[in-house]
Amino acid sequence: MGDYGHPLAFGAFLTPGNAEPGRVVGLAVLAEQVGFDLVTFQDHPYQPAFLDTWTLMSFVAARTGTVRLAANVTNLPLRPPAVLARSVASLDLLSGGRVELGLGAGAFWEAIEAMGGRRLSPGQGVRALAEAIDVIRQVWDVEARGGVRVDGEFHRVLGAKRGPAPAHDVGIWLGAYKPRMLALTGSRADGWLPSLGYLQPGDLGRGNTIIDDSAREAGRDPADVRRLLNVTGRFAPVGRGPLDGPAEQWAEELADLALSDGISTFILGSDDPEDLRRFAAEVAPAVRELVAGERAAATAPAAAPVALRSAPAEAPAAPRPPADAGSFAVVPTPDDGVRRSAIRVWDETTRPTGPAPDPARAYTPHDQAGAQHLIDVHDGLRAELARLYDLVEQVGAGLVDAGTARSHINTMTIRQNKWTLGTYCESYCRVVTTHHTLEDRGIFPHLRRGDARLAPVLDRLEQEHHAIHDVLERVDRALVAFVSVADGMAELRAAVDLLSDTLLSHLAYEERELVEPIARLGLN
């Protein structure tokens, strides 16, 4: 695990909307002009608001000359693998070797079934995908004797003629999240292509382990599998969270993903021309430079990569105290003061402060580890909040105008997107509430008993917990509005903005006032 040493590449992930057909083509052309290596498109054949992805890719291939193209990822249940193999090879030949193949086992099964596809269980979907890979590779293998023969449970190709062969060795990248799909990626595929917004902390490391183990069992080198990642975020003057800040922050975070989790292809999900320009002009070159420098500085292949910044999929880590620390070295996360909402739930100027630390006191590593634990827990909440923003933006970008939304409200894509967003928001709200409950009932009483001077601070923090609970209720109400009406996204965004303002401010205040008392008094 770690850096697999692959060359870095950067791509765009574009929405194939058909309301303005020329827009997505123009964005693809722009991506090539500003230096992207790869342009990818969603593939949802059941979505009437989208252009057909393979038709779009053929058109874009004719309008470009160097950038590589791929579906992100191809909807296999609606594309027979033998026909798909010939489509990929044909476009690869016509484009001069610029096509790659992203594949998915299938999702949104109700919509797939409505289009004539077969509904499969998760296990069936993985088996069907494995059979499809066999079919595709055999079609491309024109040097082998005889016809294509796969007599599978889901795909039966008995004697079809081979060919054409693609112009280059087309990579097969799987959109995988669950263990069986990850194992298939390691044993049979050329790349792993998940989306960061759908990963939980630690999923990249766990996924890499499964892929690597499966590759070795299949007699492959784990480095044979390229690690790709769809990312979304926001460019801003000041950092607010993972992939939410200035270009240099993006570069450090992506470089850390490359060095720590082996990601070598970063695909930006955005239809904003300015985002594409900035990613290509500022982020990509800086990531290449940072990664090249770390690789050059490595003294041995097994040397651990130097973490530049915590990866977005993990909780961002505050500086750790040295093992022999005597002075207090745990650094609370500062409040950058940026606010997205015009609403103010509380007056921050009235917050009390606790006692000043004793400058002569020495803190053991164990003392400081307890203080650091609070920051680690908070970092997990911050990372989850950033992913919540990502998911809101992804769903928002997929919504059509109000009239069209009403006419298509029962299509699977819209319903599934809203269900997923609702589940995620509700889950996040439960995490925050549980964390605050643990503090109110466990940690805070212990600190009160240990140092009475902390009482005003603890009283204020408990009051803010109740206020944040009310903000979470606002998010719930916004979710109801979002699912119920076509124009509920504005209310949902406003509610999540307010949650961000209150929660980030509260976490920073709590760390500022409590990390030293926790180190001094302990957690229990």
Side-chain angles (χ1 to χ4, degrees), residues 424-454:
Y424 193 98
C425 288
E426 290 162 9
S427 174
Y428 183 71
C429 293
R430 285 196 299 272
V431 169
V432 174
T433 301
T434 300
H435 170 67
H436 285 171
T437 300
L438 289 173
E439 289 182 330
D440 292 343
R441 297 179 181 177
I443 298 173
F444 287 4
H446 169 70
L447 295 178
R448 286 181 191 277
R449 291 190 297 269
D451 189 341
R453 297 173 297 173
L454 290 171

Side-chain angles (χ1 to χ4, degrees), residues 69-160:
L69 306 170
N72 192 348
V73 289
T74 303
N75 188 286
L76 179 64
L78 292 175
R79 302 189 185 278
V83 177
L84 176 62
R86 288 185 173 157
S87 298
V88 172
S90 298
L91 187 54
D92 197 53
L93 289 165
L94 290 167
S95 66
R98 294 191 287 124
V99 177
E100 309 295 345
L101 178 57
L103 275 179
F108 311 123
W109 289 104
E110 182 178 317
I112 289 170
E113 196 171 35
M115 288 284 288
R118 177 181 174 185
R119 181 190 291 266
L120 302 177
S121 68
Q124 289 175 326
V126 177
R127 297 198 299 275
L129 179 56
E131 294 173 5
I133 293 174
D134 281 345
V135 172
I136 292 167
R137 293 204 187 279
Q138 287 191 39
V139 170
W140 291 345
D141 185 7
V142 297
E143 301 300 323
R145 299 182 62 181
V148 176
R149 302 198 68 86
V150 176
D151 188 5
E153 179 184 1
F154 304 96
H155 299 295
R156 299 179 73 247
V157 182
L158 305 178

Side-chain angles (χ1 to χ4, degrees), residues 73-74 76-77 102-107 109 121-131 133 172-194 206-208 210-212 214-215 220 225:
V73 289
T74 303
L76 179 64
L103 275 179
W109 289 104
S121 68
Q124 289 175 326
V126 177
R127 297 198 299 275
L129 179 56
E131 294 173 5
I133 293 174
I172 296 179
W173 306 332
L174 302 189
Y177 297 91
K178 300 298 184 181
R180 283 177 293 192
M181 278 287 287
L182 292 165
L184 179 62
T185 303
S187 64
R188 308 287 291 283
D190 305 301
W192 178 30
L193 177 53
R206 288 185 286 269
N208 278 331
I210 295 172
I211 291 170
D212 292 355
S214 179
R220 308 177 69 199
V225 183

Side-chain angles (χ1 to χ4, degrees), residues 189-221:
D190 305 301
W192 178 30
L193 177 53
S195 294
L196 185 59
Y198 296 127
L199 296 173
Q200 298 298 317
D203 279 353
L204 282 175
R206 288 185 286 269
N208 278 331
T209 297
I210 295 172
I211 291 170
D212 292 355
D213 290 346
S214 179
R216 294 187 187 98
E217 290 174 6
R220 308 177 69 199
D221 184 340

